Amino acid sequence: MKFEITILGSGAATPTLGRHCSAQAINIGGFHILLDCGESTQTQLRYCRQRLQSFSLIFISHLHGDHLWGLPGMLASMHLCGRTEPVDLFAPPGLKTLLDMLFDLSDTRLAYELRIHELQQTSPTEVFRNDQCSVVAFPLHHSVPTYGFIFEEATPYLNIRKEAIQQYNITADECRLLKLGKDLERPNQPLVPNSQLTHPRRPARRYAYCCDTAFADDIAPTVAGVDLLCLESTFDNSRSDLAEQRRHLTTTQAATIAKEGNVKQLLLTHFSARYKDISTLIAEAQVIFPNTQAAADAASFEIPITNAPV
């Protein structure tokens, strides 16, 4: 099952020619999620060949403009393109007031249901679950109420041992049950435990997104062990005072969180427009956490399947 993150925007505060404002598209087994919606998100979706109407779930981390100014226009475009299916939108309190005002002033009436869920959790809380994935929201430490998110694929199916299929002449219907964890049961025959017929279940893949936030001790344990951690790193180490003032992270702070959380891979994003070349930022982070990459607009990052031991 595919688990892929496409970067629509990796810049902070203001867009540049090379970096748009924050937005990401997540594909978990064909279920599409939009994460933040800065300026030009619609354009970036088209450029990255992402279908606008494929998104029925949207998460907004906080109500700063570089994370949401693209949202009203995108919701209106969904209407103009004939959408009728509901959209679920998760965001801190206040977004409904903003959208209601804009739509009222512009005489915009959506033909689909927009269901807004306000995030007011004070600790990590599951806020969404379906057959493809679950989402946990947790508070961050920024100048306005801000949330990070952990996206986890649904419990993976079990893989059946090839030799077991031949030995027991397992049918297609029996395979489906075994993948769900059922034992092999046949009339007038001894029950065969599932564990004898399948490989150990592989761990579910997880992706964490934290943008924007100041450094805090509670972030690392919250995202501990995720396959991919996307963290803002707005400033380099020489601007640590500015980062503290504006409640953002430096590269070293982001890498420290990744190291303390024992994550598998770190993805830096939300770069200040002052940096034309971010190679220094990557190098600073890699000193502490070597498995660090930088987000780039239109780039995709797939979380590979880690097979359980046979």
Side-chain angles (χ1 to χ4, degrees), residues 72-128:
M74 194 189 77
L75 295 174
S77 290
M78 286 179 165
H79 162 77
L80 292 172
C81 291
R83 186 182 187 94
T84 57
E85 295 298 314
V87 172
D88 285 286
L89 173 59
F90 290 79
L95 185 56
K96 184 178 186 305
T97 300
L98 173 66
L99 292 175
D100 285 347
M101 179 186 68
L102 288 173
F103 289 158
D104 182 57
L105 290 174
S106 62
D107 194 29
T108 300
R109 301 291 181 266
L110 303 180
Y112 60 90
E113 181 183 7
L114 180 61
R115 300 185 292 224
I116 299 179
H117 310 267
E118 292 192 340
L119 298 171
Q120 301 187 62
Q121 291 76 12
T122 57
S123 61
T125 305
E126 183 179 286
V127 295
F128 178 84

Side-chain angles (χ1 to χ4, degrees), residues 261-278:
N262 194 30
V263 308
K264 294 182 176 64
Q265 185 176 1
L266 173 62
L267 181 65
L268 303 180
T269 191
H270 201 262
F271 304 110
S272 168
R274 60 172 45 83
Y275 301 109
K276 302 297 186 287
D277 179 4
I278 61 168

Side-chain angles (χ1 to χ4, degrees), residues 23-169:
Q24 297 184 4
I26 305 175
N27 178 358
I28 305 179
F31 182 68
H32 298 272
I33 303 167
L34 185 68
L35 181 53
D36 277 340
C37 192
E39 294 177 50
S40 301
T41 294
Q42 287 189 76
T43 304
Q44 286 296 91
L45 284 170
R46 291 181 180 275
Y47 181 78
C48 295
R49 299 184 181 279
Q50 301 272 339
R51 289 184 59 251
L52 178 66
Q53 299 291 34
S54 67
F55 298 95
S56 58
L57 185 61
I58 302 172
F59 289 90
I60 302 296
S61 61
H62 64 291
L63 303 190
H64 277 163
D66 57 324
H67 293 256
L68 66 81
W69 286 148
L71 181 63
M74 194 189 77
L75 295 174
S77 290
M78 286 179 165
H79 162 77
L80 292 172
C81 291
R83 186 182 187 94
T84 57
E85 295 298 314
V87 172
D88 285 286
L89 173 59
F90 290 79
L95 185 56
K96 184 178 186 305
T97 300
L98 173 66
L99 292 175
D100 285 347
M101 179 186 68
L102 288 173
F103 289 158
D104 182 57
L105 290 174
S106 62
D107 194 29
T108 300
R109 301 291 181 266
L110 303 180
Y112 60 90
E113 181 183 7
L114 180 61
R115 300 185 292 224
I116 299 179
H117 310 267
E118 292 192 340
L119 298 171
Q120 301 187 62
Q121 291 76 12
T122 57
S123 61
T125 305
E126 183 179 286
V127 295
F128 178 84
R129 177 180 290 271
N130 67 1
D131 291 340
Q132 285 77 34
C133 66
S134 62
V135 184
V136 168
F138 57 95
L140 292 172
H141 308 272
H142 196 40
S143 55
V144 297
T146 304
Y147 286 85
F149 305 101
I150 299 175
F151 301 86
E152 181 173 336
E153 67 176 337
T155 303
Y157 291 127
L158 290 163
N159 288 322
I160 303 171
R161 298 177 184 272
K162 291 182 179 179
E163 63 272 18
I165 295 176
Q166 298 172 350
Q167 179 181 350
Y168 292 93
N169 195 26

